[in-house]
């Protein structure tokens, strides 16, 4: 294993953060026309992909990796914009199930186009092999960090 003082390892952390930050800013810029942020778009995307499942706020907390109060704030905002609905969970009186409204479904289609544009911008200059390698490496990094307590 390489030394923790290795400047290449330290530089990779800085580069990963810079890429994440720039992708976050670009995504928010693309989504601004729809009046939503990347975190709100990720919630709508998650609800769209998992539309046949019972999704509650806890699912979103785990998916986004953010706290309960942060997800609550995002949820209130999306409910206020009539993009999602909160329905009582019949199996847990303390919980609500979340689903997209018709307006949310329509907006999700626009979001998908913005995500596609962002992906094309992110992958500019990369070969198909490099794109697959990038996805593989990001999955490994995510798995590595997911196991750290």
């Amino acid at each position: 294993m390489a030394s923790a003082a290795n400047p290449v390892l330290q530089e990779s952390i800085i580069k990963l953060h810079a890429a994440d930050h720039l992708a976050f800013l670009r995504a928010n810029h693309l989504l601004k026309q729809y009046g939503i942020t990347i975190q709100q778009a990720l919630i709508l995307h998650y609800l769209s992909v998992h539309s046949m499942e019972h999704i509650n706020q806890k699912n979103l907390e785990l998916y986004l990796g953010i706290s309960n109060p942060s997800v609550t704030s995002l949820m209130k905002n999306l409910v206020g914009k009539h993009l999602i609905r909160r329905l009582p969970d019949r199996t847990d009186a303390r919980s609500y199930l979340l689903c997209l409204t018709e307006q949310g479904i329509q907006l999700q289609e626009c979001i998908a186009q913005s995500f596609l544009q962002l992906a094309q911008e992110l992958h500019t200059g990369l070969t198909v092999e490099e794109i697959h390698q990038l996805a593989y490496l990001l999955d490994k990094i995510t798995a590595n960090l997911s196991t750290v307590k």
Side-chain angles (χ1 to χ4, degrees):
M1 175 142 206
S3 165
N6 184 331
V8 173
L9 292 177
Q10 293 175 5
E11 189 67 19
S12 67
I13 294 168
I14 293 166
K15 288 180 179 184
L16 183 61
H17 172 72
D20 174 59
H21 181 70
L22 291 172
F24 183 87
L25 292 175
R26 182 63 180 141
N28 277 330
H29 175 76
L30 290 171
L31 295 167
K32 187 175 185 177
Q33 64 186 312
Y34 305 115
I36 61 169
T37 65
I38 182 64
Q39 287 185 313
Q40 293 168 340
L42 289 171
I43 288 173
L44 297 177
H45 174 76
Y46 185 85
L47 291 175
S48 176
V49 169
H50 297 90
S51 63
M52 301 307 290
E53 301 172 30
H54 296 309
I55 303 301
N56 61 30
Q57 186 168 323
K58 187 67 173 173
N59 298 121
L60 294 175
E61 291 168 22
L62 295 171
Y63 170 68
L64 294 172
I66 60 177
S67 68
N68 178 286
S70 295
V71 173
T72 298
S73 176
L74 289 165
M75 299 306 307
K76 285 181 182 178
N77 195 299
L78 291 169
V79 168
K81 292 179 180 186
H82 307 290
L83 299 174
I84 64 168
R85 242 186 340 260
R86 292 174 43 170
L87 306 168
D89 185 345
R90 293 182 182 147
T91 63
D92 183 354
R94 302 165 295 161
S95 184
Y96 290 92
L97 299 178
L98 307 168
C99 65
L100 294 174
T101 63
E102 188 59 40
Q103 189 176 342
I105 292 168
Q106 291 172 3
L107 182 58
Q108 174 51 32
E109 293 170 12
C110 298
I111 290 167
Q113 290 301 312
S114 293
F115 282 178
L116 179 60
Q117 181 179 344
L118 180 60
Q120 290 169 338
E121 292 171 6
L122 288 170
H123 297 142
T124 299
L126 299 178
T127 66
V128 172
E129 183 179 326
E130 289 170 331
I131 292 168
H132 289 294
Q133 185 178 21
L134 174 63
Y136 172 76
L137 292 172
L138 290 171
D139 285 344
K140 281 186 83 167
I141 290 168
T142 301
N144 289 344
L145 294 175
S146 295
T147 61
V148 176
K149 297 286 180 193

